């Protein structure tokens, strides 16, 4: 019997203690925002917080986190959007979107421990999270926007400008 | 448990376009949706009357614009509605996008046209009828308002979802007009706006699907939850062409949650359980004896990388050549040339590795089948399901979900849909099948391994007078779309060298392709044959430039002197990249490839450290897509294309040993990560209709030039051409 708190709700689990947290969240708790990408800790799609630290839910057995507090993307902002989610929206970060729950959870853990990350800090923290669509430039920009507190006033998503006025887009 | 007889060959699950069209034509009308079905969150629910089949306006003015193509990250769900909205004159803030059901499309005689989402054609192929539909709907709304007021329609204007009678200033909202407007006849001929009058097209509008993607909405097929649903994990024979030898289902049936063990065709085994993890655990515990005796290719060819490569290389000397292009007299030109430059190139098999592994949920009952699918082609999935089950297509409903990546894996290749319904057919419940990542990498259909041989001849004055290219590899069309073959020849394998997509001006040219098909399945891969051929071509252009002692940019300028469209893109990228003016130790590579009616060029800035480790510092991109619907989406697609293509060029390689793919997950099939992602500067240089009336694609054209830009930067740094990929194969000496 394992007891754990997920997004503020206590749960008891008496299934196979080796069940990865990912599949407990997805199949039993219907929290499908935490996504499966590799099952081996290699891609970061399944990133959640366990007692506040980023963890790969595919590689953590439920039986090993008795008494711990788990936060998933569904619980990240409570009843409102987390500042990172707002920045993600304002910068139109996602493409297919499949990796983005994991990216946001990883970024949230980064900012919780380091409110003003440098580019190398971002590389260190985020390079375990693959995005096959290549949204990395906007992920970086969104993290920096939140770190600098500028996300609230962000203009519409960055766009390439047309011909004559063409300017590089970060 | 005995295995089922194989009902279809490997090719059986791939529909060609003509096969599809034939089936579509023969379809009877069908009910739009099976009773008790669970739609996808973005599926059209058809609440209110249609003002044309593309537009539904609710009483509160909410404007639903339907999308027939698929959203896989490339922005269709936003850019396609923009085309309708441009002419509809609706308030963009009120727009919602919804998928058309494939079954509705078939039942109603395909009013939404083609649903295929491939070849970067979502906008290219549908901009005309989508803009027209918007104009028709606007006309119907204005006519309705004018009729109510008893005034002429030409005294009325529509703007922001409101019709105004100009002389009196009276107004009516679209929401108040839509019901009656929907009953009006659709005007056949409506003028479209001139590009200079566009208000929506060309703006970097926010995507319509962002909020649901950052707030964990269950939008993907792998998120589907149905009452009583079970979960399936699958293992196919690890060796290509092999089959099930023996397994004993009793071994795992007592394990927690396990309900059934199902043989799929004769080459895969699925365990069905209450949760995916239980299914996977039981599958791993099941001892399956595979019969790999038939894993050799039909010609007795060993399916290992080296024998395969030898066979393809030998094809370069073969005589069964399909000629894709011939200009002048290549043999005479090369015979008289003062200088010859020759080089052979190779590109590896590559996997798609969509972020969401292959998945499909299916419910098969006596009444028919429903599937919940991440598909690039809703109708294709529907027909594959019908064919697999041997039922009438009218009894199949496909619920389309956003794709967790497509890249060509989920279009004509519908192997995953076939597997899902074959499993679900044996189970008295809906079943969600998810492949492990290992299954996904090992049982992908790959970008073909290809080889090239170039011979170029220069006259005494140093002018390029002849260029001959031979290509060899496995034909994608032969595997997946045989109707695209011309007299058995696959000219698409020569993309990037053909009349329409290689504009370099060379007086004598010959391009030929030798088809060598094997049991290793091949498939469209983002950018398709332009990717390996773009690399072969553009890397060799740098070799030619160097042989002539010329700058690679200026060498290309000469060859493009009569191709203003490509030249403009090349000049833009060189100018923006400060071509030729880099700090010591930074080397640049340039490449340009025309594909999907767009022209894209990249410049890479690269350095190589003392340990031989390359770093890409920056990518500068210039793209001419003809028109630009949404510049923010174009920019994102260029960044994404760089990440996709650069990762593959640096590290991507699928190898085989005796039919078994040797890679399995992201540790041995690495893809680009954040710390490798260079800044990408994107410059849009849309030429509109200056050179053609076509609208260029966006999802793919950014991929083909990136590998050769990398190879050329390394060539500049080391003085040694990069004649095979990935780059990780090559030890890079310090500069
Ligand atoms: S699914 Fe957990 S790290 Fe990839
Ligand atoms: S947005 Fe598609 S994988 Fe990241």
């Amino acid at each position: 019997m394992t007891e754990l708190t997920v997004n503020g709700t206590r749960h008891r689990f008496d299934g196979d203690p080796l069940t990865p947290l990912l599949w407990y969240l997805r199949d039993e708790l219907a929290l499908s925002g935490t996504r499966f990408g590799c099952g081996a800790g290699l891609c970061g799609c399944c990133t959640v917080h366990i007692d506040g630290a980023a963890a790969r839910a595919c590689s953590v057995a439920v039986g090993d986190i008795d008494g711990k507090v788990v936060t998933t993307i569904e619980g990240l902002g409570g009843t409102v959007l987390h500042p990172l989610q707002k920045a993600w929206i304002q910068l139109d970060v996602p493409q297919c979107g499949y990796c983005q729950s994991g990216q946001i959870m990883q970024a949230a853990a980064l900012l919780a421990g380091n409110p003003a990350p440098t580019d190398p800090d971002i590389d260190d923290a985020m390079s375990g999270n693959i995005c096959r669509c290549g949204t990395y430039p906007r992920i970086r920009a969104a993290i920096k926007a939140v770190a600098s507190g500028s996300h609230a006033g962000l203009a519409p998503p960055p766009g390439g400008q047309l011909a004559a006025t063409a300017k590089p887009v970060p | 448990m005995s295995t089922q007889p194989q009902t279809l060959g490997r090719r059986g699950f791939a529909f060609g376009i003509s096969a599809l069209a034939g089936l579509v034509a023969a379809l009877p009308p069908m009910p739009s949706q099976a009773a008790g079905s669970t739609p996808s969150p973005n599926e059209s629910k058809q609440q209110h009357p249609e003002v044309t089949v593309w537009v539904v306006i609710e009483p509160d003015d909410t404007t639903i614009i339907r999308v027939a193509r698929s959203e896989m990250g490339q922005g269709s769900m936003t850019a396609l509605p923009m085309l309708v909205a441009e002419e509809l004159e609706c308030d963009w803030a009120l727009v919602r996008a919804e998928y058309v059901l494939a079954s509705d499309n078939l039942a109603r005689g395909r009013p939404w046209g083609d649903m295929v989402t491939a070849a970067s054609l979502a906008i290219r192929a549908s901009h005309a009828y989508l803009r027209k539909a918007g104009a028709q709907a606007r006309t119907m709304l204005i006519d309705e308002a004018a009729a109510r007021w008893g005034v002429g329609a030409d005294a009325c204007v529509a703007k922001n979802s409101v019709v105004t009678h100009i002389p009196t200033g009276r107004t009516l909202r679209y929401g108040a007009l839509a019901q009656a407007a929907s009953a009006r006849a659709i005007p056949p001929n409506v003028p479209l706006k001139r590009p200079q009058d566009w208000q929506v097209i060309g703006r970097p509008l926010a995507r319509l699907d962002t909020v649901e993607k950052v707030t964990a909405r269950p939008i993907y097929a792998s998120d589907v939850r149905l009452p009583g649903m079970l979960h399936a994990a699958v293992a196919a024979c690890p060796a290509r062409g092999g089959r099930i030898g023996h397994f004993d289902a009793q071994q795992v049936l007592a394990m927690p949650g396990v309900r059934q063990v199902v043989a799929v065709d004769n080459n895969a085994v699925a365990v069905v359980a209450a949760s995916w993890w239980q299914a996977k655990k039981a599958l791993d515990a099941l001892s399956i004896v595979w019969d790999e005796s038939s894993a050799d290719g039909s010609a007795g060819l060993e399916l290992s990388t080296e024998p395969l490569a030898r066979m393809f290389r030998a094809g370069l000397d073969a005589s069964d050549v399909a000629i894709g292009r011939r200009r002048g007299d290549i043999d005479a030109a090369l015979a008289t040339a003062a200088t010859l430059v020759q080089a052979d190139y190779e590109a590896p098999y590559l996997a798609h590795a969509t972020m969401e592994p292959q998945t499909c949920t299916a419910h098969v009952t006596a009444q028919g089948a429903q599937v919940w699918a991440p598909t690039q082609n809703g109708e294709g999935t529907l027909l594959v399901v019908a064919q697999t089950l041997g039922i009438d297509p009218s009894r199949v409903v496909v619920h389309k979900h956003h794709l967790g990546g497509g890249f060509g894996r989920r279009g004509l290749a519908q192997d995953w849909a076939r597997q899902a319904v074959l499993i679900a057919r044996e189970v008295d419940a809906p079943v969600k099948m998810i492949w492990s990542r290992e299954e996904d990498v090992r049982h992908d259909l790959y970008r073909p391994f290809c080889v090239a041989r170039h011979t170029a001849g220069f006259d005494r004055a140093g002018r390029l007078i002849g260029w001959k290219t031979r290509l060899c590899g496995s034909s994608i069309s032969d595997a997946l779309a045989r109707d695209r073959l011309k007299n058995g020849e696959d000219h698409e394998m020569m993309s990037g060298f053909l009349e329409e997509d290689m504009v370099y001006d060379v007086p004598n040219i010959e391009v030929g392709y030798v088809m060598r098909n094997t049991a290793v399945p091949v498939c469209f891969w983002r950018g398709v044959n332009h990717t390996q051929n773009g690399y072969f071509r553009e890397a060799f252009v740098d070799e030619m430039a160097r042989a002539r002692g010329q700058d690679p940019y200026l060498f290309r300028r000469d060859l493009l002197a009569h191709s203003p469209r490509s030249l403009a893109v090349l000049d833009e990228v060189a100018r923006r990249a400060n071509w030729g003016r880099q700090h010591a130790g930074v080397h640049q590579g340039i490449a340009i490839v025309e594909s999907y009616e767009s022209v894209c060029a990249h410049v890479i800035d690269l350095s190589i450290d003392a340990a031989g480790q390359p770093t890409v510092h920056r990518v500068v991109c210039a793209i001419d897509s003809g028109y630009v619907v949404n510049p923010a989406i174009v920019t994102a697609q260029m960044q994404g294309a760089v990440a996709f293509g650069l990762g593959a060029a640096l590290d991507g390689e699928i190898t085989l040993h005796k039919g078994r793919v040797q890679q399995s997950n992201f540790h041995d099939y690495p893809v680009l990560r954040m710390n490798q992602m260079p800044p990408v500067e994107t410059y849009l240089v849309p030429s509109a209709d200056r050179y053609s009336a076509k609208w260029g694609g966006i999802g793919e054209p950014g991929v083909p030039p990136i590998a050769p830009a990398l190879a050329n930067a390394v060539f500049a740094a080391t003085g040694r051409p990069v004649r095979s990929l990935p780059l990780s194969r090559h030890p890079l000496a310090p500069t």
Side-chain angles (χ1 to χ4, degrees):
Chain A
M1 171 72 69
T2 307
E3 283 194 25
L4 66 168
T5 302
V6 180
N7 299 335
T9 306
R10 286 181 70 76
H11 295 275
R12 286 155 170 265
F13 176 66
D14 55 8
D16 180 350
L18 291 177
T19 302
L21 176 61
L22 171 64
W23 297 105
Y24 175 62
L25 294 171
R26 289 185 62 81
D27 288 350
E28 301 226 8
L29 301 188
L31 293 170
S32 59
T34 304
R35 295 198 163 95
F36 168 60
C38 71
L42 298 165
C43 78
C45 270
C46 64
T47 304
V48 298
H49 298 168
I50 300 177
D51 288 349
R56 308 294 189 226
C58 69
S59 304
V60 173
V62 175
D64 287 344
I65 52 170
D66 189 33
K68 306 248 184 202
V69 173
V70 175
T71 305
T72 71
I73 183 75
E74 288 89 346
L76 178 65
T79 55
V80 296
L81 290 179
H82 186 277
L84 281 166
Q85 287 171 304
K86 287 187 196 161
W88 245 246
I89 291 167
Q90 280 162 330
L91 289 171
D92 249 354
V93 171
Q95 288 185 28
C96 86
Y98 192 81
C99 72
Q100 299 296 342
S101 297
Q103 305 280 3
I104 291 168
M105 295 306 286
Q106 185 69 34
L110 164 65
L111 289 182
N114 179 355
T118 61
D119 278 323
D121 292 341
I122 293 174
D123 283 345
D124 280 354
M126 302 303 297
S127 291
N129 289 71
I130 291 171
C131 175
R132 281 296 275 154
C133 298
T135 63
Y136 302 124
R138 293 190 304 287
I139 290 173
R140 187 186 299 280
I143 293 172
K144 288 182 173 177
V146 172
S148 67
S150 68
H151 66 281
L154 282 177
Q161 290 81 1
L162 298 184
T165 58
K167 274 197 218 111
V169 174
Chain B
M1 179 171 178
S2 67
T3 61
Q4 295 168 313
Q6 187 171 22
T7 49
L8 267 176
R10 204 192 64 71
R11 298 243 164 86
F13 47 69
F15 272 89
I17 284 168
S18 60
L20 211 130
L23 267 164
V24 167
L27 288 180
M30 63 181 88
S32 81
Q33 224 164 296
S37 76
T38 304
S40 93
N42 290 296
E43 187 166 294
S44 186
K45 290 148 201 101
Q46 211 179 314
Q47 298 295 351
H48 293 96
E50 300 168 341
V51 191
T52 80
V53 296
W54 294 99
V55 177
V56 173
I57 299 173
E58 303 194 330
D60 67 356
D61 295 343
T62 298
T63 303
I64 295 163
I65 299 181
R66 294 191 174 138
V67 175
R69 315 276 176 177
S70 302
E71 175 60 58
M72 47 191 169
Q74 85 289 30
S76 293
M77 209 76 178
T78 303
L80 296 174
M82 285 174 71
L83 293 164
V84 178
E86 177 65 64
E87 296 286 347
L88 179 57
E89 298 291 358
C90 60
D91 180 349
W92 179 254
L94 301 171
V95 169
R96 239 175 46 216
E98 282 183 356
Y99 286 127
V100 170
L101 268 172
S103 43
D104 285 346
N105 199 28
L106 295 177
R108 292 173 60 176
R110 305 190 84 214
W112 291 282
D114 197 351
M115 301 179 76
V116 170
T117 317
S120 295
L121 55 58
I123 285 173
R124 293 200 286 146
S126 39
H127 70 89
Y129 58 76
L130 290 180
R131 287 185 294 142
K132 182 175 175 188
Q136 289 170 322
R138 180 196 68 227
T139 305
M140 292 157 76
L141 290 157
I142 290 177
D143 286 352
E144 174 59 24
R148 279 196 206 170
W149 290 323
V151 302
D154 48 4
C156 303
V157 291
K159 195 86 208 148
N160 283 328
S161 298
V162 174
V163 181
T164 303
H165 179 233
I166 304 166
T168 61
R170 280 177 292 182
T171 59
L172 278 168
R173 293 177 300 104
Y174 278 11
L177 293 165
Q179 177 85 31
S182 71
R184 302 184 82 87
I186 297 175
N189 297 312
V190 284
L192 297 182
K193 288 185 190 175
R194 297 170 308 168
Q196 56 266 42
D197 299 328
W198 286 339
Q199 302 286 325
V200 178
I201 296 173
R203 282 173 57 198
L205 294 176
R207 294 176 59 135
L208 296 175
D209 53 352
T210 296
V211 172
E212 63 192 14
K213 286 175 174 172
V214 303
T215 53
R217 302 289 305 136
I219 50 176
Y220 303 102
S222 49
D223 298 340
V224 167
R225 270 183 98 77
L226 302 167
M229 184 177 79
L230 298 173
H231 300 257
V234 189
C237 178
R240 290 291 173 171
R243 57 189 62 194
I244 301 168
H246 174 79
F247 66 88
D248 180 6
Q250 292 304 329
Q251 197 190 349
V252 298
L253 280 174
M255 286 178 69
V258 173
R259 303 293 170 82
Q260 263 170 270
V261 181
V262 179
V264 188
D265 285 327
N266 64 356
N267 59 12
V269 178
V271 174
V272 180
S275 81
W276 190 81
W277 170 248
Q278 290 170 326
K280 178 71 166 71
K281 201 172 171 185
L283 185 66
D284 291 346
L286 184 66
S287 332
I288 307 168
V289 177
W290 300 106
D291 172 4
E292 300 183 20
S293 60
S294 56
D296 274 355
S298 49
L301 172 73
E302 183 186 314
L303 292 185
S304 300
T305 305
E306 211 18 65
L308 284 162
R310 275 200 302 273
M311 186 269 299
F312 292 126
R313 286 177 206 134
L316 295 174
D317 296 315
S319 56
D320 53 327
V321 184
I323 298 296
R325 182 180 188 184
R326 195 173 259 146
R327 177 184 181 190
D329 184 342
I330 188 67
D331 293 333
L334 294 180
T336 58
T339 323
L340 289 179
V341 179
Q342 192 171 57
D344 288 3
Y345 280 79
E346 282 183 23
Y349 289 114
L350 290 171
H352 299 82
T354 53
M355 202 74 252
E356 176 186 42
Q358 300 320 305
T359 182
C360 184
T361 298
H363 192 198
V364 180
T365 64
Q367 283 72 47
Q370 284 191 76
V371 302
W372 292 260
T375 178
Q376 290 178 236
N377 179 359
E379 290 174 307
T381 302
L382 188 150
L383 294 171
V384 165
V385 167
Q387 190 205 38
T388 301
L389 297 173
I391 61 176
D392 193 275
S394 64
R395 291 164 59 201
V396 179
V397 174
V398 174
H399 303 285
K400 276 172 59 168
H401 289 254
H402 291 337
L403 286 72
F407 313 134
R409 177 66 180 87
R410 292 164 156 153
L412 279 173
Q414 294 280 332
D415 49 330
W416 43 270
R418 175 180 170 82
Q419 265 197 353
V421 293
L422 285 177
I423 296 166
R425 187 179 66 182
E426 307 301 317
V427 179
D428 197 15
V431 181
K432 173 157 52 175
M433 175 197 81
I434 301 179
W435 286 12
S436 66
R437 175 59 66 189
E438 289 76 11
E439 198 69 8
D440 186 75
V441 170
R442 290 180 181 143
H443 296 282
D444 198 353
L445 300 83
Y446 306 95
R447 188 188 78 170
F449 186 106
C450 286
V451 296
R453 172 167 298 154
H454 297 289
T455 312
F458 294 82
D459 67 12
R460 269 181 219 298
R463 286 179 302 239
L464 176 60
I465 55 168
W467 183 356
K468 176 175 172 176
T469 301
R470 278 283 179 280
L471 301 161
C472 183
S474 301
S475 158
I476 298 169
S477 293
D478 186 72
L480 293 173
R482 303 206 61 162
D483 53 293
R484 294 202 199 178
L485 300 176
K486 295 182 196 162
N487 300 323
E489 296 180 347
D490 184 352
H491 286 226
E492 290 176 44
M493 294 303 294
M494 293 178 270
S495 297
F497 289 103
L498 298 173
E499 184 94 37
E500 65 266 24
D501 53 21
M502 186 177 94
V503 296
Y504 290 137
D505 188 15
V506 185
N508 302 284
I509 294 185
E510 187 189 281
V511 179
Y513 161 65
V514 175
M515 188 189 292
R516 289 290 180 270
N517 300 331
T518 78
V520 182
V522 294
C523 187
F524 307 93
W525 185 91
R526 190 178 186 180
V528 196
N529 294 307
H530 292 95
T531 60
Q532 77 273 9
N533 290 348
Y535 158 62
F536 296 155
R537 181 183 100 187
E538 291 295 296
F540 186 66
V541 168
D542 269 42
E543 290 209 54
M544 290 193 282
R546 172 166 291 243
R548 300 308 314 154
Q550 289 186 29
D551 175 271
Y553 160 53
L554 298 177
F555 184 77
R556 283 179 176 79
R557 280 205 98 241
D558 284 348
L559 293 177
L560 294 175
H562 303 298
S563 304
R565 188 181 181 201
S566 293
L567 189 58
V569 173
L570 185 77
D571 283 345
E572 178 76 0
V573 82
R575 185 169 72 87
R576 296 291 185 174
N578 277 319
W579 177 260
R581 281 174 282 140
Q582 294 311 303
H583 301 298
V586 174
H587 305 273
Q588 291 188 307
I590 191 168
I592 181 167
V593 179
E594 301 78 5
S595 65
Y596 307 100
E597 280 149 5
S598 289
V599 181
C600 184
H602 295 311
V603 168
I604 277 183
D605 292 357
L606 166 141
S607 66
I608 298 174
D609 69 14
Q613 185 64 35
T615 301
V616 175
H617 300 285
R618 179 179 69 156
V619 175
V620 179
C621 165
I623 168 89
D624 175 2
S625 56
Y627 291 96
V628 170
V629 177
N630 184 323
I633 292 177
V634 176
T635 302
Q637 282 304 300
M638 293 304 114
Q639 293 170 341
V642 165
F644 191 82
L646 189 59
L650 288 168
D651 294 310
E653 182 173 31
I654 289 290
T655 58
L656 292 103
H657 181 69
K658 301 206 161 160
R660 291 184 176 226
V661 168
Q662 293 175 291
Q663 291 71 29
S664 62
N665 208 322
F666 293 116
H667 65 294
D668 53 10
Y669 189 73
V671 299
L672 199 87
R673 292 176 180 272
M674 174 73 101
N675 58 341
Q676 300 169 289
M677 181 75 194
V680 180
E681 296 175 14
T682 301
Y683 298 92
L684 312 185
V685 284
S687 58
D689 58 359
R690 218 172 309 145
Y691 305 112
S692 78
K694 304 214 163 128
W695 295 50
I698 273 307
E700 294 169 279
V703 178
I706 197 70
L710 176 72
N712 291 341
V714 172
F715 186 25
T718 65
R720 291 190 304 276
V722 179
R723 290 182 178 156
S724 67
L725 291 176
L727 190 63
S728 56
R729 277 188 188 179
H730 304 275
L732 300 179
T735 51

